[in-house]
Amino acid sequence: ILNVEQSPQSLHVQEGDSTNFTCSFPSSNFYALHWYRWETAKSPEALFVMTLNGDEKKKGRISATLNTKEGYSYLYIKGSQPEDSATYLCALNRDDKIIFGKGTRLHILP
Amino acid sequence: DSGVTQTPKHLITATGQRVTLRCSPRSGDLSVYWYQQSLDQGLQFLIQYYNGEERAKGNILERFSAQQFPDLHSELNLSSLELGDSALYFCASSHGPFGDTQYFGPGTRLTVL
């Protein structure tokens, strides 16, 4: 059974602080790793697609890194803002299927 | 607005019935993906079509089927519905066959009574 694990499940962060969370996946047959931001009552919104070992991507205050050999990706948020409150999902894209983690629920405290 | 449209937004039906969910991808996108999100599970990948052909298959039940038409819109057919099929069904689209950014539609909420 292929599992994509995300940790922590839930995180409370003070506004202005930086934070990071992890996505772990089996490294065989890897094709791409997707990160999504999912706000309550909305649809998942793509943040990054990462394909190469050592990839680093950045979008404003959010960045991500990828290590395909050891099977993990980190998502970083710098200077958290209230609008960052959401669930962050990662998904492993193999050639034959897409497997989602259960997400990290981020709460930003004022 | 992602540019992906799904109809209907909500659907309420009875056990044993059959329903069809519809998805129109973003202009220029050739891939359509279907996902299911139930209360007790995360997002589950069901199936992907690329340019009219089935490309990848996930946890799709035999009672469910999908197709992608020449105009690239897609339909997901759910038959012999059971209570456990109640879920939010998302469609997403991307340009290429795999590994591209996926854009999600607003979802169809299916309730089976």
Side-chain angles (χ1 to χ4, degrees), chain A residues 51-77:
Chain A
T51 55
L52 298 175
N53 186 40
D55 242 356
E56 288 188 31
K57 298 235 171 157
K58 190 171 183 211
K59 194 176 188 176
R61 294 178 294 99
I62 305 178
S63 60
T65 60
L66 177 68
N67 183 322
T68 58
K69 292 184 178 171
E70 295 183 35
Y72 65 83
S73 176
Y74 293 137
L75 190 81
Y76 301 90
I77 302 179

Side-chain angles (χ1 to χ4, degrees), chain A residues 32-103:
Chain A
L33 195 283
H34 299 253
W35 279 102
Y36 295 92
R37 182 171 172 277
W38 195 0
E39 289 182 70
T40 305
K42 294 190 176 179
S43 307
E45 176 197 347
L47 288 173
F48 306 113
V49 180
M50 309 178 78
T51 55
L52 298 175
N53 186 40
D55 242 356
E56 288 188 31
K57 298 235 171 157
K58 190 171 183 211
K59 194 176 188 176
R61 294 178 294 99
I62 305 178
S63 60
T65 60
L66 177 68
N67 183 322
T68 58
K69 292 184 178 171
E70 295 183 35
Y72 65 83
S73 176
Y74 293 137
L75 190 81
Y76 301 90
I77 302 179
K78 191 175 172 183
S80 303
Q81 298 297 307
E83 59 267 28
D84 296 330
S85 292
T87 295
Y88 291 83
L89 284 178
C90 70
L92 174 66
N93 193 167
R94 295 186 352 162
D95 190 41
D96 58 343
K97 60 182 68 173
I98 299 166
I99 306 142
F100 281 82
K102 293 197 184 309

Side-chain angles (χ1 to χ4, degrees), chain A residues 10-45:
Chain A
S10 180
L11 193 52
H12 291 76
V13 173
Q14 205 67 43
E15 183 178 346
D17 286 354
S18 296
T19 187
N20 64 85
F21 24 93
T22 307
C23 173
S24 304
F25 52 88
S27 52
S28 59
N29 296 328
F30 173 89
Y31 190 80
L33 195 283
H34 299 253
W35 279 102
Y36 295 92
R37 182 171 172 277
W38 195 0
E39 289 182 70
T40 305
K42 294 190 176 179
S43 307
E45 176 197 347

Side-chain angles (χ1 to χ4, degrees), chain B residues 50-104:
Chain B
Y50 175 72
N51 206 19
E53 302 285 329
E54 181 185 305
R55 205 204 155 267
K57 209 165 188 174
N59 302 324
I60 189 165
L61 298 171
E62 283 194 16
R63 300 183 286 109
F64 296 1
S65 65
Q67 53 184 323
Q68 187 180 28
F69 294 87
D71 67 352
L72 300 174
H73 91 271
S74 178
E75 291 181 357
L76 179 68
N77 300 296
L78 316 175
S79 61
S80 303
L81 284 167
E82 300 175 1
L83 295 177
D85 297 328
S86 295
L88 189 51
Y89 291 85
F90 284 108
C91 160
S93 74
S94 70
H95 182 68
F98 47 76
D100 282 3
T101 299
Q102 292 184 31
Y103 298 88
F104 277 72

